Amino acid sequence: MQSEKRSNSLARQILQSVMDASLVPFLAILTAVIFGGIIIKIVGGDPILSYRGLIEGSFGSTKALSETAVWATPYIFAGLAVALAFKGGLFNIGAEGQLAVGAVVSSLIGYALPEWLGYDIPAIIHLPLAILFGVLMGGVWAGIVGALKAYTGGHEVINTIMMNYIALNTTSFLLNGVMKDRSPTNVIARTPLIADSARIPPLFEGLRIHWGFIFALLVAFFIWWLLTKTTLGFQIRTVGLNPDAAKYAGINVKRIIILTMVLSGMLAGMAGTIEVTGLNYRHELGFSIGYGFDAIAIALLGKSHPLGVVLASFLFAAMRNGATRMQFLTQMPVDLISMIQAFILLFVAADAIIRYIYRIKSKGERVVLTRGWGG
Amino acid sequence: MTENNIVLEGKNLTKQFPGVLANDNVNFDLRKGEIHALLGENGAGKSTLMNLLYGLYHPDKGEVMVNGNPATINSPNDAIALGIGMVHQHFMLIPVFTVAENVMLGDETTKRGALDRNTVAQKINQISSQYGLSVDPNALVGDLPVGVQQRIEIIKALYREARILILDEPTAVLTPQEAEDLFRIMRDLTARGVSIIFITHKLKEVLAVADRITVMRAGRVINTVNPSETNSALLANMMVGRQVILTVNKQDRKPEEEILRVENFCVQDQRKLDVLHDVSFTVRSGEILGIAGVQGNGQTELSEALTGLRHPSSGKVLIDGVDVTGKTPRALTKAGLAHIPEDRQRHGLVLNYTVADNMALCDYYRPPFSRRGVIQQKALDDNSRKLIASFDVRTPSPFVNAGKLSGGNQQKVIVARELSRENVKLVIANQPTRGLDVGSIEYIHGEIIKMRDRGVAVLLISAELDEIMALSDRIAVMYRGKIVAIVDAKQPTREQLGLWMAGAHAETA
């Protein structure tokens, strides 16, 4: 009886909370699309045709769908990275850098390991190694910031930004130097191609969508399980919601801060690794400009919930992917998409605007101006 | 004269908040030169009423009259312009500014663009002598005792020519002697035509100082009475709506073996200044040691250092003979400590967690709540159902967020979690009933006594002297980070304790 009641009311509660949580993001997207349409109109374009191009380009064919999923894959990992950190009360702006170091290490293992060993390695060992080291490198990179936060109080926002500079410039140094592709025709900063044994196979012949996409969905589910069902997740959420209470409850807050950053960095590293092993088969300077930053928007839009992150990743992926088709059809520049994304983020972050436009009452908060023990 | 001497009146004031009717058709009037006490429990609607009168809220219905004329008060500035001044419970003073600078803040007197401190100082001196509020305009506020800081707040209001003063829980931070001083000042002010609204939940003070008493409960005015026609018991009944036992029932009990020993305990703050010097005491099984003292004399630091939230700089703590100095909160919990923290919303609860999760906040990591790293939600739920029933927590379900509960029920969640742990040998309760309704206070006092009777050692820290005197078997008094006296609870009078709280035993500073 009791448990039935709970599951019943819980199902309703969950549905209610999903609707509450997704209402503002949904309206934010809608409003941003309307704003985008107005701008298209102002600059003399055709909003309907532009958006049709956008949708065709992202969902209109098997190939378009495949490409959207290809875009979504690193977005999901990087978005989860930022979302996990948010849950732990940390703002990881450094996904971009963690992603870069992950990609560097992963590609190094991918092309250089067989050379060092002097023989070919089976894919079943080589691929996991390439992924593992990329992921670990991302974890270490973010873990440094976590340790600085835990032991010196250094703010993670500043330190992840600084670590981004170090990561991106070190990457540039390596890709122009020791790791540069020495083939005679190459003039750009990129690594040699990784060995076949370090590549993630495609899902379907002839399409670029690869198993990394499925893996991303599995990892999203795993992160949800970790956060909501495990003792570690309980600790991360407690530290995120109330670090004082966490300390009182006997949680080692410093350890959890470091661990949260490491896990977040591992996910970001995964985003870089998956692009190297699943798509590009090498690391090239500038391939990812923006993934790590879009990830912040994705995590915000997805309300830091793994399912929300997956959906937001798809949205961003579809917009990026469909933009080319839109440009082809209507000569609307791809940059318009960045504007719409910025609008979405603006409306989600400053949700008071959306609540005002659509007259949504915010729930549960009551204004208390003077609060006393007896008053 | 009868109608004209009403200086401030709220007529049929109604204010609705989401889910709460905070003020329901409230009528309240203040006569010229009287002290009108507003008495009520936490959440009775006193603060809402004052915020309506002071312009922080706007009433849904009803109107505010000042000196017989309808007044629109949309902001504190409007209120000040109408001669209404408010002294908040938490002072709005800037410690690094002088008295004069604080008084003129927001209403600066300038001379050719520069602050004119001299004119302000003169005016302050004039107000001081007129109303008997002695204070040095050039002293830094941070150096002054709390009682004097309160005086500055009053001067600030008078400086703005307030003729109506609203004092919100003014005695909460004062020693009994300082409170007496304040009452004298209040009477002087009324003798000079100032009218005062005195908000409090302390019955004794109301009877001592008020000319009229209005009691509020659940958003309504229950009655307005004269002190001569009433007594503590009647007022308490009006406040709570039922018979209240004002004294705590407690049998004598012989304390047994020593559970907590604190030796030469010192704690420093962030600036490396001693906030706790050389504190030593013991608490035995079946005994309540009450720590009395005005807030901010090291009680917070003492309880935090004893419960692992803060590192002591030197000294020793033993629980049941085992050295636990500087141990983590979890180690202390395992050693048998139950901690009811001073700030329940900051330390005691995660407000965005459900009641069920909060009830396992300290034990989530071990069986039956957690197995192989996975939370056993059913065990958490079952545990919370049991505790909700046995500790009478009023919540619609275990799955409601703790932040949605009333203060009393939030505190019950903490008390249930802490006192139900099976290995408890020592309870450290800091301000366990602050801000709670009378019913919850009774309940929590009962639970603390129950623990003592079961042979648990209890360290009770409270700024409410009545609470300390009602519950304790022995009383220690803290003043400026030191224990200035430890005595049997039956020994000292209220006045004696008050003197110690003001540092009578300490060095002459």
Side-chain angles (χ1 to χ4, degrees):
Chain A
M1 261 305 276
Q2 277 284 10
S3 66
E4 259 175 49
K5 230 185 208 166
R6 184 202 155 122
S7 61
N8 197 346
S9 73
L10 200 68
R12 213 179 315 129
Q13 265 180 33
I14 289 171
L15 193 70
Q16 186 67 44
S17 68
V18 167
M19 289 197 7
D20 287 351
S22 49
L23 185 62
V24 169
F26 175 76
L27 292 174
I29 294 164
L30 186 75
T31 316
V33 166
I34 294 169
F35 268 57
I38 293 170
I39 288 167
I40 294 172
K41 194 81 198 165
I42 290 171
V43 298
D46 179 347
I48 305 291
L49 189 66
S50 302
Y51 284 135
R52 214 185 78 198
L54 192 65
I55 292 167
E56 268 178 29
S58 49
F59 300 110
S61 64
T62 323
K63 183 156 180 297
L65 274 172
S66 156
E67 285 303 301
T68 298
V70 164
W71 275 97
T73 306
Y75 273 153
I76 293 173
F77 284 119
L80 288 172
V82 180
L84 179 83
F86 273 143
K87 284 285 180 189
L90 296 163
F91 198 171
N92 180 8
I93 294 190
E96 187 75 10
Q98 293 142 24
L99 194 146
V101 295
V104 166
V105 171
S106 184
S107 55
L108 184 68
I109 301 281
Y111 77 82
L113 193 61
E115 286 174 33
W116 293 338
L117 294 171
Y119 52 83
D120 287 345
I121 322 159
I124 195 143
I125 297 171
H126 197 186
L127 176 59
L129 273 184
I131 292 175
L132 183 71
F133 276 90
V135 167
L136 287 180
M137 190 64 207
V140 168
W141 206 251
I144 294 168
V145 176
L148 287 172
K149 166 101 177 178
Y151 291 108
T152 71
H155 202 285
E156 76 276 10
V157 168
I158 308 294
N159 287 333
T160 46
I161 293 173
M162 295 306 131
M163 292 296 275
N164 276 349
Y165 285 120
I166 298 171
L168 299 175
N169 288 307
T170 308
T171 306
S172 167
F173 170 73
L174 291 172
L175 295 194
N176 281 303
V178 288
M179 287 177 72
K180 186 165 181 172
D181 178 8
R182 295 291 169 199
S183 58
T185 52
N186 179 44
V187 290
I188 55 175
R190 67 179 192 196
T191 68
L193 284 172
I194 59 173
D196 283 343
S197 53
R199 297 181 184 184
I200 299 175
L203 260 172
F204 306 103
E205 203 57 48
L207 292 175
R208 293 211 304 164
I209 182 173
H210 53 88
W211 281 96
F213 173 67
I214 304 295
F215 188 52
L217 296 181
L218 291 176
V219 168
F221 177 79
F222 172 77
I223 294 297
W224 173 81
W225 177 81
L226 178 85
L227 281 172
T228 54
K229 303 290 173 191
T230 69
T231 314
L232 177 61
F234 186 87
Q235 293 174 331
I236 291 174
R237 283 184 294 128
T238 308
V239 170
L241 286 170
N242 187 346
D244 290 315
K247 190 175 180 194
Y248 163 90
I251 293 170
N252 187 335
V253 176
K254 291 188 164 92
R255 200 182 131 245
I256 293 296
I257 286 176
I258 297 170
L259 204 57
T260 306
M261 278 311 280
V262 168
L263 287 172
S264 173
M266 284 169 76
L267 287 164
M270 189 75 215
T273 298
I274 215 80
E275 287 292 272
V276 168
T277 53
L279 195 67
N280 302 322
Y281 306 137
R282 60 158 45 111
H283 187 38
E284 192 177 307
L285 200 63
F287 91 91
S288 89
I289 293 304
Y291 282 160
F293 298 119
D294 281 354
I296 298 165
I298 287 169
L300 283 172
L301 184 60
K303 296 260 164 180
S304 298
H305 189 287
L307 179 62
V309 166
V310 169
L311 294 176
S313 297
F314 267 102
L315 180 76
F316 272 56
M319 294 207 300
R320 291 273 179 223
N321 182 32
T324 340
R325 174 81 186 155
M326 181 188 77
Q327 188 168 15
F328 173 76
L329 270 181
T330 64
Q331 280 74 54
M332 274 298 132
V334 174
D335 303 307
L336 179 76
I337 296 306
S338 301
M339 277 177 71
I340 294 178
Q341 286 180 346
F343 275 129
I344 295 175
L345 186 59
L346 183 79
F347 291 139
V348 170
D351 65 350
I353 304 172
I354 288 297
R355 289 183 192 281
Y356 178 75
I357 295 176
Y358 297 96
R359 305 279 188 274
I360 307 167
K361 269 189 194 158
S362 77
K363 282 190 173 176
E365 281 119 298
R366 197 151 59 96
V367 191
V368 182
L369 283 165
T370 63
R371 179 163 57 189
W373 312 323
Chain B
M1 251 326 252
T2 46
E3 276 305 308
N4 288 341
N5 64 9
I6 290 178
V7 288
L8 178 65
E9 186 176 14
K11 274 188 176 165
N12 307 318
L13 291 173
T14 299
K15 180 72 185 171
Q16 172 87 49
F17 286 117
V20 199
L21 193 55
N23 268 194
D24 182 5
N25 218 7
V26 168
N27 287 295
F28 182 86
D29 64 75
L30 178 68
R31 293 178 194 150
K32 189 173 165 62
E34 76 166 347
I35 297 174
H36 191 157
L38 186 57
L39 186 68
E41 289 195 276
N42 202 26
K46 303 184 304 247
S47 286
T48 305
L49 175 58
M50 287 310 117
N51 286 334
L52 289 172
L53 296 177
Y54 197 58
L56 289 168
Y57 293 155
H58 202 72
D60 299 335
K61 247 175 44 198
E63 58 177 345
V64 178
M65 316 269 285
V66 179
N67 297 320
N69 306 312
T72 336
I73 306 177
N74 288 321
S75 73
N77 283 338
D78 293 350
I80 291 162
L82 289 164
I84 305 171
M86 184 148 173
V87 176
H88 294 273
Q89 184 182 354
H90 302 284
F91 304 150
M92 313 275 172
L93 297 172
I94 298 173
V96 296
F97 278 12
T98 66
V99 172
E101 285 165 341
N102 266 290
V103 167
M104 71 165 121
L105 192 65
D107 184 20
E108 293 87 356
T109 311
T110 54
K111 203 159 147 189
R112 281 181 241 103
L115 292 176
D116 185 3
R117 291 185 181 79
N118 289 336
T119 313
V120 177
Q122 267 172 28
K123 206 168 158 194
I124 291 173
N125 284 331
Q126 191 193 328
I127 294 169
S128 308
S129 56
Q130 191 182 343
Y131 296 101
L133 292 155
S134 60
V135 63
D136 172 11
N138 298 315
L140 280 181
V141 163
D143 298 338
L144 300 172
V146 177
V148 179
Q149 293 192 16
Q150 192 166 50
R151 245 176 254 169
I152 300 166
E153 285 280 13
I154 295 173
I155 290 174
K156 230 168 108 180
L158 296 173
Y159 181 83
R160 287 162 177 70
E161 294 177 345
R163 304 297 292 162
I164 298 166
L165 280 180
I166 303 173
L167 306 181
D168 186 8
E169 295 277 350
T171 57
V173 288
L174 304 181
T175 62
Q177 282 79 4
E178 281 175 323
E180 277 305 323
D181 250 13
L182 174 70
F183 296 154
R184 180 189 57 73
I185 291 169
M186 284 164 66
R187 286 191 204 97
D188 281 358
L189 287 167
T190 50
R192 284 168 178 77
V194 176
S195 317
I196 294 176
I197 302 175
F198 173 42
I199 305 171
T200 186
H201 66 279
K202 294 183 182 170
L203 302 167
K204 281 188 191 130
E205 296 178 350
V206 169
L207 291 167
V209 76
D211 297 312
R212 280 194 303 157
I213 303 164
T214 291
V215 183
M216 285 189 77
R217 183 174 80 230
R220 294 192 186 158
V221 167
I222 299 303
N223 203 352
T224 300
V225 293
N226 292 321
S228 54
E229 301 158 356
T230 187
N231 59 46
S232 296
L234 286 172
L235 287 174
N237 290 353
M238 278 196 265
M239 255 167 87
V240 185
R242 62 179 169 82
Q243 283 280 326
V244 182
I245 308 141
L246 288 173
T247 51
V248 179
N249 269 322
K250 197 177 85 174
Q251 311 294 320
D252 276 349
R253 189 189 194 288
K254 219 176 150 54
E256 291 150 40
E257 75 275 23
E258 181 181 295
I259 297 287
L260 175 69
R261 168 172 282 273
V262 180
E263 283 176 4
N264 310 106
F265 207 51
C266 294
V267 175
Q268 294 180 332
D269 64 9
Q270 286 90 335
R271 294 168 299 163
K272 300 280 170 209
L273 298 172
D274 273 8
V275 279
L276 213 62
H277 334 249
D278 206 17
V279 166
S280 300
F281 60 86
T282 62
V283 189
R284 290 191 283 170
S285 159
E287 170 186 63
I288 299 175
L289 175 67
I291 298 212
V294 178
Q295 276 175 54
N297 276 285
Q299 298 97 319
T300 304
E301 289 79 6
L302 175 66
S303 73
E304 287 186 357
L306 287 177
T307 55
L309 295 175
R310 189 188 275 260
H311 268 285
S313 52
S314 64
K316 239 169 130 179
V317 185
L318 294 101
I319 293 180
D320 212 5
V322 182
D323 189 340
V324 294
T325 318
K327 285 273 160 51
T328 62
R330 177 150 308 160
L332 291 166
T333 306
K334 284 181 180 164
L337 169 71
H339 177 200
I340 299 170
E342 178 175 14
D343 189 335
R344 58 179 159 267
Q345 304 201 333
R346 185 173 154 218
H347 284 117
L349 294 169
V350 179
L351 295 177
N352 287 323
Y353 274 0
T354 61
V355 171
D357 287 357
N358 269 298
M359 280 177 162
L361 194 61
C362 300
D363 300 290
Y364 68 90
Y365 65 94
R366 61 184 181 89
F369 302 124
S370 190
R371 286 184 204 281
R372 277 172 264 106
V374 179
I375 298 275
Q376 305 297 309
Q377 196 61 46
K378 191 172 177 324
L380 260 69
D381 297 351
D382 291 348
N383 169 64
S384 66
R385 279 209 192 80
K386 211 175 67 198
L387 293 182
I388 285 168
S390 57
F391 284 82
D392 189 31
V393 181
R394 306 282 165 82
T395 171
S397 97
F399 316 116
V400 173
N401 281 354
K404 298 248 157 104
L405 303 189
S406 70
N409 283 300
Q410 287 181 356
Q411 188 74 336
K412 278 186 188 173
V413 170
I414 296 171
V415 167
R417 175 183 72 216
E418 293 303 309
L419 303 190
S420 65
R421 214 176 290 123
E422 59 271 17
N423 68 337
V424 175
K425 291 177 197 158
L426 169 68
V427 174
I428 296 183
N430 193 350
Q431 304 284 8
T433 60
R434 178 190 280 176
L436 301 190
D437 57 283
V438 172
S440 303
I441 293 174
E442 276 182 317
Y443 185 84
I444 284 164
H445 283 173
E447 289 300 317
I448 289 174
I449 300 226
K450 241 192 256 171
M451 292 306 276
R452 160 211 187 244
D453 290 345
R454 261 171 44 193
V456 169
V458 179
L459 181 67
L460 171 73
I461 301 172
S462 176
E464 297 267 353
L465 195 49
D466 293 322
E467 177 167 78
I468 292 285
M469 293 181 74
L471 292 180
S472 308
D473 297 305
R474 283 189 303 142
I475 297 175
V477 182
M478 277 191 84
Y479 176 72
R480 293 203 178 163
K482 287 185 180 165
I483 291 203
V484 291
I486 301 189
V487 291
D488 190 284
K490 291 186 181 121
Q491 210 179 47
T493 60
R494 218 184 138 74
E495 286 61 41
Q496 181 58 58
L497 286 171
L499 285 174
W500 283 332
M501 282 162 70
H505 260 204
E507 82 272 336
T508 43

